[in-house]
Amino acid sequence: MVEQRNYEEYQLGLILAEYALKGYRPVMQDRFSNIMMFDAIVIDSEERHCIIIELINSSRVHGIEQEKIKRFKDMAQDPHLRSKLRIPEQAEISVDFRYIDNNSLRNDRNAIIQREYGPHTLEKLLANKLPPSAPDNNKSWEKQFLHDWSLIARTIRSAAIWIEYSAERVQGQSVLELYNLLLSLQVLIPTEQLAPDYDEFHDAFNFPDLFELHDKVLNVIEGDVVSQNDVRTLRFHLTSIRKQLKNAI
């Protein structure tokens, strides 16, 4: 089993590589200051966008980790934080939560699942047409929501095998960790960053990323009710991922 510290550093390295390719540089944090240390902070070359990066343990996402997410979102809006971190006044601050999981039993399970995917699985998945969107009722929304997440998970696992020459690198990793890998290699661009294609959708709804939607999938499995907005958003993610991968292969 990989030590938690080394594992987190590996995942954080992937995320920082992704941002470096987008033109972001790290912001140094003063380890002797009296404010909370973040996993990483990056800012773009024009100093207009500053991103706080925080790793979230997916096995503890309910409860403590949810409180952490709320606290960090509030902290990003604190004017004192900007001055303490010496972030330029004009820079917009946001938080990028990335989910990781270093549970050995879950890693073993992921390794078993990943063995079902080969180099040609991706082409077969992308050749299949998506089912039509669900009609306007809660039961149909739930069915589409869970089915679309299953398609996203299978597509990401297939893409990781297709792009990554080293099978050992993808064995044991969760879907979200493989998604991080594909983002770091710029095989995929997050759907929420593909403006102007989704500007109309952005204006109408608060557009959650794939990590937030994963939380909502877990909630639905536990009996929560899914909203039509979340169903539509997840379908946008699925369509975007498929379109990008079709262009890549």
Side-chain angles (χ1 to χ4, degrees):
M1 178 177 174
V2 180
E3 289 185 9
Q4 183 70 17
R5 183 182 180 87
N6 293 338
Y7 181 78
E8 289 182 359
E9 288 177 354
Y10 167 70
Q11 291 296 330
L12 188 59
L14 289 178
I15 298 164
L16 289 174
E18 170 197 339
Y19 274 104
L21 288 170
K22 295 175 184 176
Y24 285 76
R25 59 174 175 79
V27 173
M28 299 302 294
Q29 301 179 65
D30 182 359
R31 295 188 176 276
F32 300 100
S33 71
N34 60 354
I35 63 171
M36 184 183 298
M37 292 292 295
F38 301 102
D39 288 321
I41 304 174
V42 295
I43 193 167
D44 69 328
S45 58
E46 297 180 354
E47 297 190 336
R48 298 181 61 183
H49 300 284
C50 181
I51 313 291
I52 296 171
I53 300 169
E54 272 302 308
L55 302 180
I56 301 294
N57 190 317
S58 60
S59 63
R60 299 197 306 265
V61 71
H62 297 288
I64 294 175
E65 294 297 274
Q66 285 290 359
E67 286 299 318
K68 178 180 177 182
I69 290 172
K70 182 180 183 304
R71 187 170 69 252
F72 274 62
K73 284 183 176 179
D74 292 342
M75 198 179 299
Q77 306 306 318
D78 185 346
H80 299 295
L81 178 71
R82 182 184 298 274
S83 59
K84 286 179 181 288
L85 294 175
R86 299 185 181 88
I87 296 173
E89 194 66 34
Q90 73 275 11
E92 177 186 344
I93 303 175
S94 59
V95 187
D96 183 358
F97 295 104
R98 294 298 181 95
Y99 289 37
I100 64 170
D101 187 357
N102 195 25
N103 180 288
S104 59
L105 292 177
R106 192 170 275 116
N107 290 350
D108 291 343
R109 183 195 64 194
N110 284 325
I112 293 171
I113 294 172
Q114 193 65 44
R115 291 187 199 124
E116 301 297 320
Y117 295 85
H120 304 295
T121 311
L122 180 61
E123 294 179 19
K124 293 177 183 177
L125 275 174
L126 296 179
N128 296 330
K129 290 185 177 180
L130 292 180
S133 295
D136 292 345
N137 64 74
N138 287 346
K139 268 196 170 178
S140 298
W141 294 344
E142 178 183 303
K143 184 177 180 181
Q144 178 182 319
F145 192 64
L146 295 177
H147 183 262
D148 281 1
W149 178 261
S150 174
L151 286 178
I152 286 174
R154 290 158 59 197
T155 302
I156 288 173
R157 287 193 180 280
S158 300
I161 288 292
W162 171 75
I163 197 68
E164 183 53 57
Y165 59 88
S166 172
E168 292 180 0
R169 190 174 178 184
V170 300
Q171 291 295 337
Q173 296 202 42
S174 69
V175 169
L176 293 181
E177 288 162 350
L178 294 174
Y179 182 58
N180 276 340
L181 175 64
L182 296 175
L183 292 176
S184 72
L185 297 172
Q186 288 202 311
V187 176
L188 292 176
I189 298 172
T191 303
E192 62 274 13
Q193 294 180 15
L194 289 178
D197 291 354
Y198 298 97
D199 273 352
E200 182 179 348
F201 197 90
H202 271 278
D203 293 340
F205 307 105
N206 180 21
F207 196 100
D209 60 30
L210 205 59
F211 301 93
E212 294 174 274
L213 287 167
H214 176 259
D215 284 352
K216 298 187 179 189
V217 169
L218 296 180
N219 290 340
V220 171
I221 291 173
E222 292 295 328
D224 199 3
V225 176
V226 66
S227 71
Q228 187 180 25
N229 290 352
D230 288 337
V231 175
R232 289 185 61 196
T233 307
L234 191 65
R235 176 56 67 95
F236 265 80
H237 277 278
L238 173 59
T239 303
S240 170
I241 288 170
R242 285 169 54 90
K243 181 179 178 181
Q244 291 182 69
L245 290 173
K246 283 180 179 179
N247 291 337
I249 65 175

